[in-house]
Amino acid sequence: MVFANPQAALDALAAQKYLADLAVAQVVFLAERLDKPVLVEGPAGVGKTELAKSVAAATGRRLIRLQCYEGLDEAKALYEWNYRKQLLRLQAAPGEAWSETESDIFGEDFLLARPLLEAIRSPESVVLLIDEVDRVEVETEALMLELLADFQVSIPELGTMTATTRPAVFLTSNNTRELSEALKRRCLYLHIGYPTIEREQEILHARLPGLDERLAEQVARFVAGLRSMPLRKPPSVSESLDWAAALLALGVAVLDDSVAADTLNVLLKHQSDIDIVAKELGADLTET
């Protein structure tokens, strides 16, 4: 058993500098115990992907990642045949009976495993991260259902392949579209939102040990304030970390309006958001 209880999962994640609350750790623990995939939803940059990476690091498992995008198909997600090698094989035996050739070119030697198949065929247990699953089309989402339900995949020429060691599966979604009920039904659900000021301060300290306690608190409070504003893209935890690292690199000891205004471009990714915040700070960045 990987984790004895939710507290053990919480401690193991903390050892990887992933600071979660007990609710997150409980889902991680239950996913291991029940052999269930975890669907993690929440705003971009709050640590969904990092959770899978941290579980992999905490358990010593290899991480296999499928980065989803619009247009992702079976050939990139599951498997495809090595057509160039198949062609060479055909050219090498021009007089061979087709039945013999066919059984050969659709065999293991000509199969190219993609992340989903690689995770199923792995001899050791791995962590499979299906990142930003909400970016793929419904058809591609459907081909994952067999894996999520039974930890197996079907290849017409080879039959059904079942995992001998079940992977720990994490799917992340930024809620850009509604996922199917069929996919949700196969997973434990976990929502990760923005952290509290106190938790974000702890995260800053864990990831940036050289950060002064007062500056960490100022950064956490400032970022929390921005998240309550009507911005196009509120700052994520990862952007909060980038901003704090930038302040460290600039030798900033105390955060004031001037420093904040001069470095907003590290924290915010849209000029319209920078203008809104700059106006609140009393500085117009469009003139700088």
Side-chain angles (χ1 to χ4, degrees):
M1 206 61 67
V2 177
F3 302 117
N5 50 51
Q7 184 61 49
L10 188 69
D11 295 341
L13 291 173
Q16 302 304 318
K17 299 183 179 180
Y18 188 91
L19 304 182
D21 56 32
L22 196 55
V24 173
Q26 181 167 289
V27 172
V28 171
F29 166 74
L30 290 175
E32 289 284 344
R33 282 296 177 96
L34 305 178
D35 272 337
K36 297 279 285 186
V38 180
L39 171 61
V40 192
E41 287 192 330
V46 293
K48 302 185 297 296
T49 300
E50 281 302 312
L51 176 60
K53 290 180 179 179
S54 297
V55 170
T59 57
R61 295 173 177 173
R62 183 164 63 100
L63 179 76
I64 296 177
R65 180 173 182 168
L66 173 63
Q67 180 60 55
C68 298
Y69 54 88
E70 190 176 350
L72 179 72
D73 60 11
E74 187 178 58
K76 298 300 180 189
L78 188 55
Y79 77 95
E80 67 178 323
W81 294 106
N82 188 334
Y83 296 119
R84 182 173 296 179
K85 191 174 178 182
Q86 285 178 322
L87 182 59
L88 290 173
R89 170 67 178 82
L90 289 170
Q91 292 173 339
E96 190 176 65
W98 170 243
S99 58
E100 185 177 344
T101 305
E102 183 182 25
S103 62
D104 190 15
I105 64 174
F106 289 110
E108 289 282 348
D109 290 343
F110 297 85
L111 185 67
L112 297 175
R114 300 310 184 200
L116 298 183
L117 182 58
E118 186 183 353
I120 287 293
R121 288 157 51 107
S122 174
E124 73 278 0
S125 182
V126 300
V127 173
L128 172 62
L129 168 62
I130 303 176
D131 211 8
E132 300 185 344
V133 67
D134 50 324
R135 290 182 178 274
V136 302
E137 289 81 2
V138 175
E139 293 77 9
T140 306
E141 183 186 315
L143 74 84
M144 300 177 186
L145 297 181
E146 183 182 12
L147 183 149
L148 297 176
D150 301 317
F151 294 93
Q152 67 181 36
V153 296
S154 296
I155 299 176
E157 298 85 354
L158 298 177
T160 300
M161 295 184 177
T162 304
T164 52
T165 57
R166 293 192 168 190
V169 183
F170 290 83
L171 302 94
T172 72
S173 167
N174 294 330
N175 286 321
T176 59
R177 73 168 176 84
E178 187 71 19
L179 299 174
S180 71
E181 291 300 324
L183 185 143
K184 290 181 177 179
R185 193 167 58 247
R186 287 162 170 78
C187 303
L188 297 181
Y189 178 76
L190 174 64
H191 181 271
I192 298 179
Y194 293 121
T196 63
I197 292 174
E198 293 74 19
R199 177 52 54 84
E200 186 142 22
Q201 202 174 329
E202 292 173 358
I203 294 170
L204 291 169
H205 267 307
R207 294 301 180 99
L208 301 169
L211 190 65
D212 178 78
E213 189 173 336
R214 182 184 177 195
L215 184 57
E217 181 184 0
Q218 287 184 310
V219 168
R221 290 191 179 281
F222 186 87
V223 170
L226 295 191
R227 288 174 187 151
S228 67
M229 297 175 66
L231 301 179
R232 182 176 171 187
K233 167 67 176 68
S236 65
V237 175
S238 59
E239 287 157 344
S240 169
L241 283 164
D242 287 344
W243 192 44
L247 297 177
L248 266 180
L250 293 171
V252 173
V254 178
L255 182 63
D256 56 29
D257 284 358
S258 174
V259 171
D262 288 342
T263 54
L264 279 178
N265 59 312
V266 180
L267 192 57
L268 301 172
K269 306 304 178 186
H270 296 279
Q271 187 59 44
S272 58
D273 289 345
I274 292 174
D275 291 341
I276 291 172
V277 177
K279 190 174 292 183
E280 291 292 320
L281 293 170
D284 185 356
L285 292 188
T286 59
E287 296 179 0
T288 63

